[in-house]
């Protein structure tokens, strides 16, 4: 095997920079911004930089598509530059679609739409140079085979380089006490992945688009990998799915969504396997591969039917969401591909072309995933609120009024009565509002209220030095006069079981006052006692928690209880289940004394599940201050 010389690698790098200048420039600028972000202390305050990183990352495949299309069709430099200008306009629109600041009203939609375009553009790289009727499937396959192998090698080299540099830095840090910061290791990986990986991959893109796979040119390693690893694994997965599908239908016991994802994953793996086998399916010595190639799409049909049954039941019970839309779309696409190949069509370009078109069309318009899912969930919410007589003539009846105090805390302007509705309806209303809050925003719900809830949130943010909530959906639910139910508690059949989460705002300084020692503690589900040391004292101290609302302080052989129940009850009375809103540290402070020991505890986080008979802690952390009297 002949290894390339350094001069050859240098020539490849320069040639790729000439062929794909803006893709490489996007990779370099995006990587530098990503490295800078690792140095930023308040990441949430620099969301615009994250948006820039994502925009430049999208520029890599977008400019690559334009350059490959221009190169394949011999477009003039002027037309190519016009394509670059159009791409810059698209990237500008993508950037301004992102939220400019980290606000409660932000949703996931811009980032989901970004992922759709990111994946669609990578698919377009595969087929854009081969859109003409004269382009053969063999040249299309050979081009993408080269891309696939180059990508695998690039990722392998990237990981070797970044791992090697990380070990070298760790050695320098350990041997020479160089005090290398942890983020430096992350920066090395980002640099390797963003610049080296991209540049190396682009340098290996073939310039001859018409080259077809030779009879003896099919890579032996790829053939072994496909025939003896991918196909056996695929058959095992298909067998498991068929048995699992039979069990589901016989018992009519449908799992919550997992079967749909399994079917999609295995179907995509099978299609990918068939694409790898395309050049050798007609060879005599591998005739069984042609049989598998045809049989696979027949085997997909029952699985696609099972997918539609599973997702249909979920949509019927809980409505349409973005995730369920995507699953349904993938089911339709799998049906199309299966029927296409069953009918004898053999154009493998149809696979990436049809998938990219489906993805792009689903990202906008009234037929798109965002519009359809929002309308469906709004209709369900309106029906539930109308049934409970909370919504009448598009106005909320007896809504809870709010005001903002001088510290920026949103509190009821008067009494805060809670309406009683069936638990199932309460869970559904909470689930829909939380979904809308996360994915689509509350713009369609706010007109139902007389008060301007968005203005109330803005006022709270202005008055607070560091606004931390409440969660938008919680404010909406409680304005309806209903109890807010956290996502993790929706659907819990025992209404007496509750999850409570209290977290203090960041406090950069804790006044030691006349205390002698401060120790940080962190108890999880299986806590170990934490030793405490007092200066100038021979006493042996340790603290541990119980499964109840009690901390145990052990001094020598004596055990003393610190009751947490009064503090927790006060937190519940003031904040409810809290649901993510950060609390003033002074509200989570506990002062007590035991014999000749003065104690102050600042809790930073208290999480636990409260059942009918016992309390189950999941997190308890903070700082304990001690002084011997």
């Amino acid at each position: 095997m002949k290894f390339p010389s350094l001069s050859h690698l240098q020539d490849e790098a320069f040639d790729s920079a000439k062929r794909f200048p803006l893709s490489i420039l996007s990779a370099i600028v995006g990587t530098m911004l990503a490295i800078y972000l690792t140095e930023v202390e308040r990441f949430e305050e620099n969301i615009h930089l994250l948006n820039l990183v994502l925009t430049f990352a999208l520029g890599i495949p977008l400019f690559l598509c334009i350059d490959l299309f221009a190169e394949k069709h011999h477009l003039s430099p002027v037309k190519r530059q016009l394509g670059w200008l159009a791409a810059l306009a698209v990237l500008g629109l993508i950037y301004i679609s992102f939220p400019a600041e980290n606000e409660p009203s932000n949703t996931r939609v811009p980032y989901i739409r970004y992922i759709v375009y990111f994946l669609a553009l990578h698919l377009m790289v595969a087929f854009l140079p081969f859109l003409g009727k004269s382009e053969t499937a063999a040249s299309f396959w050979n081009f993408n085979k080269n891309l696939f192998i180059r990508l695998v090698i690039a990722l392998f080299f990237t990981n070797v380089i970044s791992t090697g540099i990380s070990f070298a830095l760790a050695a320098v840090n350990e041997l020479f006490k160089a005090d290398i910061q942890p983020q430096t290791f992350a920066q090395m990986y980002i640099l390797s992945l963003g610049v080296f990986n991209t540049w190396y991959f682009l340098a290996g893109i073939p310039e001859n688009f018409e080259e077809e796979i030779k009879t003896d040119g099919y890579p032996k390693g790829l053939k072994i990998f496909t025939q003896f690893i991918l196909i056996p694994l695929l058959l095992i997965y298909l067998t498991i799915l068929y048995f699992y599908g039979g069990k589901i239908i016989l018992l009519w016991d449908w799992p919550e969504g997992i079967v749909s994802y399994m079917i999609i994953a295995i179907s995509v793996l099978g299609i990918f396997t068939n694409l790898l086998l395309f050049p050798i399916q007609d060879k005599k010595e591998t005739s069984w591969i042609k049989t598998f190639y045809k049989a696979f799409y027949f085997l997909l049909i029952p699985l696609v039917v099972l997918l539609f049954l599973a997702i249909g039941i979920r949509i019927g019970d809980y409505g349409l969401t973005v995730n369920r839309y995507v699953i349904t779309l993938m089911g339709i696409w799998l049906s199309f591909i299966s029927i296409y190949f069953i009918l004898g069509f053999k154009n493998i370009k149809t696979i990436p072309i049809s998938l990219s078109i489906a993805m792009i069309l689903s990202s906008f318009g009234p037929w798109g995933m965002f519009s359809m899912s929002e309308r469906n969930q709004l209709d369900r919410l309106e029906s539930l609120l109308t049934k409970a007589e909370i919504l009448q003539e598009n106005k909320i009846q007896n809504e809870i009024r709010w005001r903002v105090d001088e510290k920026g805390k949103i509190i009821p302007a008067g009494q805060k009565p809670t309406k009683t509705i069936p638990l199932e309806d309460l869970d559904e209303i909470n689930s829909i509002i939380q979904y809308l809050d996360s994915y689509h925003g509350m713009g369609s719900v706010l007109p139902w209220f007389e008060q301007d809830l968005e203005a109330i949130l803005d006022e709270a943010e202005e008055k607070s030095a560091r606004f931390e909530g409440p969660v938008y959906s919680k404010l909406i639910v409680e304005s309806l006069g209903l109890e807010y139910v956290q996502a993790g508690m929706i659907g819990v059949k025992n209404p007496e079981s509750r999850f409570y989460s209290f977290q203090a705002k960041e406090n950069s300084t804790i006044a030691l006052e006349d205390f002698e020692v401060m120790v940080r503690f962190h108890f999880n589900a299986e806590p170990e006692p934490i030793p405490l040391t007092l200066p100038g004292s021979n006493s042996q101290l340790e603290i541990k928690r119980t499964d109840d609302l009690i901390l145990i302080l052990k001094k020598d052989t004596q055990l003393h209880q610190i009751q947490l129940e009064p503090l927790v009850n006060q937190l519940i009375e003031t904040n409810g289940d809290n649901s993510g809103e950060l609390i003033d540290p002074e509200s989570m402070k506990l002062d007590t004394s035991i014999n000749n020991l003065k104690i102050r505890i600042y809790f930073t986080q208290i999480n636990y599940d409260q059942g009918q008979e016992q309390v189950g802690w999941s997190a308890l952390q903070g700082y304990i201050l001690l002084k011997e009297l």
Side-chain angles (χ1 to χ4, degrees):
M1 178 179 177
K2 184 179 179 181
F3 289 95
S5 63
L6 288 176
S7 61
H8 175 73
L9 293 175
Q10 185 179 12
D11 291 341
E12 274 196 344
F14 280 119
D15 289 342
S16 60
K18 292 177 183 177
R19 290 181 70 195
F20 315 113
L22 293 189
S23 290
I24 292 175
L25 181 62
S26 296
I28 293 172
V29 176
T31 300
M32 295 303 106
L33 285 171
I35 289 173
Y36 174 75
L37 274 175
T38 63
E39 297 285 351
V40 174
E41 292 184 3
R42 299 291 293 275
F43 183 82
E44 66 275 8
E45 294 180 0
N46 293 273
I47 192 171
H48 62 286
L49 292 179
L50 172 64
N51 296 339
L52 274 175
V53 171
L54 295 176
T55 303
F56 281 110
L58 190 67
I60 299 172
L62 180 56
F63 288 121
L64 179 59
C65 285
I66 292 170
D67 290 335
L68 287 175
F69 186 83
E71 194 172 280
K72 174 64 174 65
H73 296 280
H74 308 290
L75 299 183
S76 66
V78 173
K79 291 181 178 179
R80 186 185 188 191
Q81 290 161 9
L82 288 174
W84 287 349
L85 289 175
L88 285 172
V90 170
L91 292 177
L93 292 174
I94 293 293
Y95 177 76
I96 63 176
S97 72
F98 291 133
E101 296 179 356
N102 189 24
E103 297 178 343
S105 57
N106 291 349
T107 69
R108 302 179 187 178
V109 166
Y111 297 102
I112 296 173
R113 186 179 282 117
Y114 170 86
I115 293 172
V116 171
Y117 294 155
F118 188 80
L119 295 175
L121 281 171
H122 279 78
L123 287 172
M124 291 171 70
V125 169
F127 67 78
L128 265 183
F130 301 92
L131 285 179
K133 292 183 179 179
S134 61
E135 310 299 338
T136 65
S139 59
F140 166 78
W141 186 93
N142 192 58
F143 177 79
N144 283 280
K145 179 264 296 182
N146 290 329
L147 291 189
F148 175 70
I149 292 175
R150 187 72 175 189
L151 177 62
V152 171
I153 295 173
L155 289 172
F156 174 74
F157 285 170
T158 297
N159 282 283
V160 170
I161 290 171
S162 59
T163 303
I165 294 175
S166 295
F167 278 121
L169 290 175
V172 170
N173 198 41
E174 182 66 26
L175 296 174
F176 299 98
K177 309 301 179 186
D179 192 27
I180 297 174
Q181 298 301 311
Q183 60 264 33
T184 304
F185 296 89
Q187 291 166 358
M188 288 299 101
Y189 184 77
I190 292 171
L191 184 64
S192 301
L193 183 65
V195 177
F196 170 80
N197 181 78
T198 304
W199 206 324
Y200 182 85
F201 171 76
L202 293 176
I205 294 180
E207 296 185 41
N208 183 2
F209 298 99
E210 284 77 24
E211 183 181 1
E212 297 188 2
I213 186 70
K214 298 177 183 178
T215 306
D216 58 347
Y218 192 91
K220 292 182 180 179
L222 190 60
K223 185 176 181 180
I224 293 171
F225 173 71
T226 306
Q227 287 186 253
F228 302 109
I229 297 178
L230 278 185
I231 290 181
L233 282 176
L234 185 61
L235 291 174
I236 291 172
Y237 293 150
L238 286 171
T239 303
I240 292 171
L241 264 186
Y242 265 85
F243 276 105
Y244 187 58
K247 171 180 172 287
I248 289 173
I249 293 174
L250 285 175
L251 301 177
W252 206 250
D253 181 19
W254 295 85
E256 295 188 359
I258 187 172
V259 67
S260 302
Y261 294 109
M262 291 171 62
I263 291 171
I264 291 172
I266 292 170
S267 300
V268 170
L269 175 64
I271 292 171
F272 176 70
T273 303
N274 273 335
L275 284 174
L276 293 179
L277 294 170
F278 173 76
I280 58 174
Q281 60 173 308
D282 292 325
K283 289 187 176 182
K284 291 182 180 180
E285 64 269 23
T286 56
S287 58
W288 66 273
I289 291 179
K290 187 173 184 178
T291 304
F292 171 80
Y293 190 88
K294 290 182 177 180
F296 172 75
Y297 294 104
F298 283 97
L299 293 173
L300 271 191
I301 297 298
L303 294 180
V304 172
V305 171
L306 183 64
L307 182 149
F308 281 125
L309 282 173
I311 198 62
I313 290 172
R314 297 290 292 174
I315 293 173
D317 289 343
Y318 306 109
L320 184 67
T321 63
V322 170
N323 290 348
R324 292 170 198 146
Y325 182 103
V326 171
I327 292 172
T328 305
L329 180 68
M330 287 299 297
I332 295 171
W333 178 75
L334 288 172
S335 301
F336 166 75
I337 291 298
S338 299
I339 294 171
Y340 179 86
F341 284 101
I342 286 172
L343 293 178
F345 297 102
K346 295 183 178 181
N347 190 350
I348 57 175
K349 290 186 288 184
T350 304
I351 294 173
I353 291 174
S354 60
L355 183 55
S356 63
I357 291 173
M359 292 172 69
I360 292 173
L361 288 178
S362 69
S363 67
F364 63 90
W367 58 82
M369 64 179 78
F370 307 114
S371 297
M372 287 190 67
S373 58
E374 183 179 15
R375 285 199 308 271
N376 180 267
Q377 293 297 337
L378 276 172
D379 290 344
R380 294 179 66 241
L381 179 61
E382 185 174 354
S383 176
L384 287 165
L385 293 178
T386 303
K387 172 186 171 184
E389 299 182 348
I390 295 173
L391 180 67
Q392 295 180 5
E393 297 180 353
N394 288 327
K395 285 297 177 182
I396 300 300
Q397 305 300 304
N398 303 315
E399 67 181 86
I400 304 299
R401 301 281 179 167
W402 305 95
R403 66 180 181 86
V404 181
D405 66 14
E406 62 280 359
K407 293 184 178 180
K409 186 174 179 62
I410 301 174
I411 59 177
Q415 292 186 340
K416 185 186 170 186
T418 302
K419 299 181 180 71
T420 302
I421 62 174
L423 181 62
E424 183 178 344
D425 290 347
L426 180 64
D427 283 347
E428 279 294 295
I429 291 170
N430 272 275
S431 177
I432 293 170
I433 290 176
Q434 289 173 32
Y435 166 78
L436 291 172
D437 184 23
S438 296
Y439 285 86
H440 307 285
M442 307 306 298
S444 300
V445 174
L446 292 177
W448 295 346
F449 296 90
E450 290 187 8
Q451 60 189 325
D452 190 341
L453 295 176
E454 193 167 12
I456 291 173
L457 280 171
D458 291 341
E459 182 184 353
E461 185 173 6
E462 289 176 5
K463 287 185 176 181
S464 176
R466 185 183 176 198
F467 180 67
E468 304 291 354
V471 178
Y472 207 166
S473 55
K474 180 182 179 183
L475 182 64
I476 296 291
V477 171
E478 293 186 346
S479 297
L480 297 172
L482 299 175
E483 179 186 4
Y484 181 76
V485 182
Q486 291 191 71
M489 296 302 295
I490 291 176
V492 175
K493 298 186 182 300
N494 179 8
E496 299 298 324
S497 297
R498 295 291 301 274
F499 175 75
Y500 294 95
S501 176
F502 305 104
Q503 186 171 352
K505 293 181 181 179
E506 287 185 11
N507 191 359
S508 57
T509 59
I510 296 177
L512 196 59
E513 296 181 3
D514 61 339
F515 289 92
E516 298 172 320
V517 65
M518 180 174 69
V519 178
R520 185 178 185 274
F521 63 89
H522 183 180
F523 295 121
N524 51 30
E526 297 179 359
E528 294 292 331
I530 296 174
L532 307 171
T533 303
L534 282 171
S537 174
N538 295 324
S539 298
Q540 293 183 349
L541 296 170
E542 67 178 30
I543 188 170
K544 65 178 181 178
R545 71 160 176 81
T546 66
D547 289 334
D548 300 317
L549 293 170
I550 297 173
L551 283 177
I552 301 294
L553 181 68
K554 182 179 179 183
K555 184 179 181 183
D556 297 325
T557 59
Q558 296 179 335
L559 299 178
H560 305 281
Q561 293 186 352
I562 301 175
Q563 296 288 341
L564 303 184
E565 188 171 1
L567 173 65
V568 171
N569 288 340
Q570 180 62 40
L571 289 171
I572 293 172
E573 182 180 344
T574 306
N575 304 280
D577 58 14
N578 189 250
S579 311
E581 180 181 358
L582 298 188
I583 299 171
D584 183 354
E586 289 296 315
S587 299
M588 295 182 66
K589 181 180 72 174
L590 176 64
D591 284 311
T592 187
S593 60
I594 296 173
N595 294 342
N596 63 335
L597 201 60
K598 182 180 176 182
I599 302 169
R600 173 173 292 173
I601 303 176
Y602 283 103
F603 291 99
T604 57
Q605 187 170 10
I606 301 175
N607 291 353
Y608 68 95
D609 298 292
Q610 184 176 34
Q612 288 180 312
E613 299 178 357
Q614 62 179 7
V615 171
W617 294 93
S618 56
L620 185 66
Q621 56 183 297
Y623 298 89
I624 183 168
L625 284 67
L626 300 171
K627 180 184 179 181
E628 198 163 27
L629 301 175

